[in-house]
Structures are given as structure tokens and as C-alpha cells.
Amino acid sequence: MNINEIAKLAGVSRATVSRYLNDGYVSEEKKERIRKVIEQTGYKPSAQAQMLRTRKTGQVGVIIPKINSESISRMVAGISTVLKEAGFQLLLADTENKEKEELEYLRLFSENQVDGIILIATIFTPEHKKALKGLCVPIVILGQQLAGYSCVYQDDYHAARAAAEMLAGSGAEKIGCIGVTKRDRAVGEARKKGFLDAMEEAGIDWKEAYYEECGFSAQDGYEAAERLFAREPELDGVFCATDTIALGAMARIRETGRNVPEQVAVAGVGDTASGRLVIPRLSSVHFYYKTSGQEAARLLLELMNGTVPGKEVKMTYSVVERDTTRRQKENFRKS
């Protein structure tokens, strides 16, 4: 079955069927005749032919830093909800936190004519900025803020500050920090700054020896806590840049014979399911990751409809205090 046969059965011209398929003007009476023929025959227009006519693929590229992440999966779920409803298919690209892979997928998606790109970003090198500038399709950046581009990002600074304030409020006086590279301006730089400002506000003495840097996995958090407590065994609190890092750190802290929270209070950021289920339950800050994915998808749809890039959406957060920071100062016993 092809467009000529549809036209013959409906008693209209080939051009009329073409206009119908491409949302052009067709009288209501002819629309109904064409619709009935298509419904009866099960005709489906060629996707390739439609792409050639409309220069649209109906596909959106989504570049993610890692696939085995609860926060990323929540963002992708939000993106998918909005874009599928709008008739788009998602093409997922997992970079495994490799800069070169990110750059390569930006190039591939742009050259292979997806209608738009959502980049769940971590860092911006000069090469990234050059690649973004050279894109020929709309892009929305999710998870980071970059001037001149449409972005959806978390309030990382204030979220980290709130988590650190929970630790200070628990009675901890020597508080360590396990963070990630400051090249990641959101999770690394902004969250560390929020933590440090909370320490200053609380009047807690802090020194750089209380800081340890690591990757994003629970194993990374475990190993960072091992290094941190070997160097500073008197620490009685730990702020972790993510919940996943915090879970690894808690495992190592407990292996050393210290109790959480009685001897070491712990707080993370992200409010993951794992943090809610572990015993003791992890105090954290909740980010609305699925909603941020939905907001990014809506921004992309606006861009694809011709709006000017540059709109920024900063998401809210909520503090969730659980067991790992709940203790009485008078009952606190240092290790």
C-alpha cells in the first residue's frame, strides 16, 4: 500500500493525501475519507520518507554520564514521560563518565539529525564548549548551569549547606568532607562551598586535612573514608557529596568499630532509595530528579518550536533528616 493507492481509494489527489499526512490544510470531508481508508488498510507512512519531507526524525538524543545511577534513571524517566507524550523516541548514550565519549556523542547526534539533544552534564572543558557551539540542533543541559544555554539544574550549594547544618546540629564538632573533583561545578565545587560555609556559620574549626576526594561509586566512598579516618581518627561527623558516596563511607566507618550516628554522624545529598533503606537510615537532601527531567524535556520542546535558548530553571530541594544525624549531644560519645 502506498500514497497513490490511498489517494485512489479515498477519491482524492495524491497531493491531498500528502498534505493530510504532513498536517497541511485538507477539508474536513476529505480528511474523513482519507482517515477511513488509512484505518481500513492499516497504512503507515514511511518514516524515512516523512523525514525527507519534514526534515524531522522524531528522535531526541539523551547523553548520560552513567546508566547505573538512581538519580540519572529518575531524570531519564522524567524526560521520557514528556517526550514520548509529544511523539518523540529517545536515543540513550551512556558515556561512562568519559569526556571523549561525551564529545563523540554530541558530534554523532548532531550529524545524524536527531531533532534535539539533552545532555546530563558533569564538566565543561574548552572542547565541550566548542562542541556545543558547533551544534546544529537545539540542546538542553541538565544538571549543570552554563551561560547562554537552556539549563535545568539543582540548587547544589544550598542543598549541601543544609546537609552540613544537620551534621553541625547533631553535636558533631570535627566534621570531615568527602567530595568529588571541582571540575564538576555542581557536585564538586558548589557542594563543597555549601559545606564550608555551613561550617563557618556554625563556628566549627575546619582544616583541609578533613577533606578527601573520590569518584562517584560506593566503593570510592568506602576507600575515601578509609584514607580520611586513617589520617584524622578523631572526626565525629562526615558530609558526603552524594548518598552513594555516603553509603560506602558508612560501611568503612562501621568496620572500624565506630557507631553511626553515636560516634560518627553522616549526611549525604540526593535522597536515594538505598539511603532510605539502609540501617541506620541516611540523612540527606531530596532533589526532584524526575521533575527536573520533565522540565528539561519541556525546554527542549520549546527550543524545537523556535524559542530562543538561554532559559534557566533552578530546582528546589527538601531536607530529609533521618537516623544518621539524630542523636543527643549529652549522650554523644567520641571514639
Side-chain angles (χ1 to χ4, degrees):
M1 183 64 61
N2 58 42
I3 193 170
N4 290 324
E5 291 170 313
I6 294 295
K8 186 177 180 180
L9 290 170
V12 298
S13 70
R14 185 184 189 283
T16 301
V17 177
S18 180
R19 286 199 303 273
Y20 173 87
L21 294 174
N22 292 287
D23 297 322
Y25 173 75
V26 178
S27 69
E28 290 301 319
E29 184 264 334
K30 289 180 180 178
K31 273 186 185 178
E32 183 62 19
R33 280 154 52 190
I34 296 169
R35 186 194 65 76
K36 284 183 178 179
V37 170
I38 288 175
E39 188 178 273
Q40 291 167 359
T41 60
Y43 170 75
K44 290 184 179 179
S46 162
Q48 186 177 14
Q50 279 198 316
M51 185 184 77
L52 290 172
R53 288 193 298 271
T54 65
R55 298 188 180 275
K56 299 292 183 183
T57 65
Q59 297 176 330
V60 168
V62 180
I63 303 174
I64 64 175
K66 56 181 178 177
I67 203 163
N68 59 335
S69 163
E70 182 181 330
S71 60
I72 299 299
S73 67
R74 283 158 61 186
M75 290 181 201
V76 171
I79 294 168
S80 178
T81 299
V82 173
L83 291 183
K84 283 187 176 179
E85 187 175 321
F88 288 89
Q89 294 180 324
L90 269 61
L91 300 178
L92 282 181
D94 179 9
T95 68
E96 298 180 346
N97 277 315
K98 295 176 182 175
E99 295 173 29
K100 289 184 178 179
E101 291 289 319
E102 260 186 5
L103 295 169
E104 181 66 10
Y105 279 123
L106 283 170
R107 182 187 66 81
L108 285 172
F109 279 147
S110 182
E111 290 180 358
N112 285 280
Q113 299 177 332
V114 294
D115 296 332
I117 299 171
I118 294 177
L119 170 63
I120 301 179
T122 54
I123 63 172
F124 294 113
T125 64
E127 290 79 12
H128 280 81
K129 292 178 181 178
K130 182 179 179 181
L132 290 170
K133 191 174 181 180
L135 290 176
C136 57
V137 295
I139 186 167
V140 170
I141 295 166
L142 176 54
Q144 298 279 348
Q145 184 182 17
L146 185 63
Y149 291 88
S150 297
C151 306
V152 179
Y153 59 97
Q154 311 302 329
D155 190 353
D156 293 282
Y157 168 81
H158 287 101
R161 184 164 181 159
E165 287 169 353
M166 278 195 288
L167 286 168
S170 74
E173 297 174 345
K174 291 186 177 181
I175 303 175
C177 174
I178 301 178
V180 303
T181 175
K182 65 180 182 181
R183 295 176 71 207
D184 185 325
R185 292 189 302 181
V187 181
E189 185 179 5
R191 293 187 193 181
K192 184 180 180 183
K193 188 176 189 308
F195 165 79
L196 292 176
D197 286 354
M199 294 298 97
E200 183 178 1
E201 179 72 19
I204 294 175
D205 291 330
W206 196 83
K207 56 185 180 180
E208 197 62 29
Y210 293 172
Y211 178 72
E212 194 63 48
E213 196 168 280
C214 69
F216 286 86
S217 72
Q219 182 64 32
D220 291 329
Y222 177 96
E223 293 171 1
E226 187 172 38
R227 295 190 299 270
L228 185 60
F229 279 89
R231 187 171 65 246
E232 301 290 338
E234 295 300 312
L235 292 175
D236 57 14
V238 181
F239 164 77
C240 298
T242 74
D243 275 17
T244 303
I245 291 172
L247 293 174
M250 283 172 59
R252 178 55 191 163
I253 290 166
R254 290 155 74 178
E255 279 185 8
T256 65
R258 296 172 173 86
N259 293 323
V260 177
E262 291 81 8
Q263 292 170 285
V264 183
V266 180
V269 176
D271 190 26
T272 62
S274 299
R276 295 192 292 271
L277 295 173
V278 72
I279 302 297
R281 297 175 304 153
L282 180 64
S283 293
S284 188
V285 179
H286 182 81
F287 283 146
Y288 299 91
Y289 285 122
K290 184 174 181 179
T291 304
S292 67
Q294 292 171 330
E295 289 293 332
R298 292 188 187 108
L299 271 186
L300 186 62
L301 290 173
E302 290 176 8
L303 290 177
M304 292 190 294
N305 285 323
T307 60
V308 177
K311 182 178 178 181
E312 296 184 356
V313 178
K314 181 165 73 173
M315 303 296 296
T316 59
Y317 64 88
S318 55
V319 178
V320 187
E321 183 167 20
R322 298 193 182 95
D323 305 329
T324 59
T325 55
R326 284 177 176 158
R327 60 188 185 186
Q328 298 298 319
K329 292 181 181 180
E330 60 270 23
N331 294 331
F332 171 56
R333 178 174 57 84
K334 294 183 180 179
S335 57

